[in-house]
Amino acid sequence: QALALCRESFVQFRRGEMRAAVASAAAALKAARNSRQPELEALSLSRLSRMQGGARIDVHAAVRNGARAAALFASLGDTAGQGRALRAQCGAMWASDQTVLGAPVAAESLALARRCGDLFGQGEALNALAIGDADIAARLRLTNQSLDAHKAAGYVLSQASANGNLGNNYADLGLYRRARRLTLEAADISRRAGEKGGLLVWIWNLAQC
């Protein structure tokens, strides 16, 4: 039940059903604790952190949940889980305007993902580092690395995120034709996948360039 609710929350999040995603993740955590299986509790805490941070619902709790999940994964020897939980924590820190404090967390997430060969985790951590960097050149480099990692992992929706963020960076440089091309690619992927949350972001970005 905990695992099913974790997966349901992720689908709801991608559909843009933010409050439902947070509720499902909270229910997953309750079920995981009832099961007395620490690996399920760690996963549910990590998922709840990701949903709360992404939905901007109780972001301070999201930061704490991400840290707790990372610590629990570490105690279980699950390096990939620990890295992904730290990425969720970093996202929550970014949502609560703690971008500078989140950079070391993202760097640790990346190091863990590289240590265990988690390509998805690497892509997510690189994207988090890019978002928090004030240098546009560094953002472009990190986001391109994120895109490469997600391509290698075969994770299409995160490729949309990387393309959209690249488009946003090129718009900041005034390279609007390139920005529109990349943002349209991101919007097309999100539209085909039914990812309404991402699609809204890319349409907004298109309106600005």
Side-chain angles (χ1 to χ4, degrees), residues 37-39 41-43 45 67-78:
Q37 296 184 50
E39 63 277 9
E41 183 174 350
L43 175 63
L45 277 167
R68 289 168 182 161
L72 190 49
F73 275 125
S75 71
L76 295 168
D78 187 338

Side-chain angles (χ1 to χ4, degrees), residues 45-105:
L45 277 167
S46 180
R47 185 58 51 84
L48 181 57
S49 174
R50 178 73 181 271
M51 299 303 105
Q52 289 173 319
R56 307 295 196 275
I57 295 175
D58 202 352
V59 290
H60 297 295
V63 173
R64 294 193 299 271
N65 287 331
R68 289 168 182 161
L72 190 49
F73 275 125
S75 71
L76 295 168
D78 187 338
T79 304
Q82 182 185 358
R84 294 186 184 194
L86 287 172
R87 169 62 184 90
Q89 180 188 356
C90 176
M93 295 174 83
W94 180 75
S96 59
D97 296 323
Q98 301 179 59
T99 306
V100 174
L101 294 175
V105 179

Side-chain angles (χ1 to χ4, degrees), residues 20-198:
V22 173
S24 293
L29 178 58
K30 182 178 179 180
R33 284 174 171 164
N34 287 338
S35 76
R36 298 182 180 179
Q37 296 184 50
E39 63 277 9
L40 284 178
E41 183 174 350
L43 175 63
S44 300
L45 277 167
S46 180
R47 185 58 51 84
L48 181 57
S49 174
R50 178 73 181 271
M51 299 303 105
Q52 289 173 319
R56 307 295 196 275
I57 295 175
D58 202 352
V59 290
H60 297 295
V63 173
R64 294 193 299 271
N65 287 331
R68 289 168 182 161
L72 190 49
F73 275 125
S75 71
L76 295 168
D78 187 338
T79 304
Q82 182 185 358
R84 294 186 184 194
L86 287 172
R87 169 62 184 90
Q89 180 188 356
C90 176
M93 295 174 83
W94 180 75
S96 59
D97 296 323
Q98 301 179 59
T99 306
V100 174
L101 294 175
V105 179
E108 185 180 356
S109 173
L110 178 59
L112 289 167
R114 283 175 170 166
R115 185 188 305 168
C116 66
D118 179 14
L119 290 170
F120 174 78
Q122 291 176 45
E124 291 284 283
L126 285 161
N127 185 59
L129 284 169
I131 290 172
D133 203 308
D135 187 322
I136 294 179
R139 290 207 305 267
L140 286 170
R141 175 177 54 82
L142 290 166
T143 307
N144 272 305
Q145 290 175 6
S146 173
L147 178 60
D148 289 341
H150 284 305
K151 284 182 177 178
Y155 203 86
V156 178
L157 274 176
S158 288
Q159 293 174 42
S161 179
N163 276 332
N165 289 338
L166 280 173
N168 191 50
N169 290 329
Y170 281 119
D172 288 341
L173 289 170
L175 300 174
Y176 295 114
R177 290 183 65 183
R178 183 175 295 186
R180 283 193 292 271
R181 177 176 58 80
L182 287 163
T183 308
L184 283 168
E185 288 178 12
D188 181 61
I189 292 172
S190 293
R191 185 178 291 108
R192 286 188 286 113
E195 187 202 16
K196 294 180 181 178

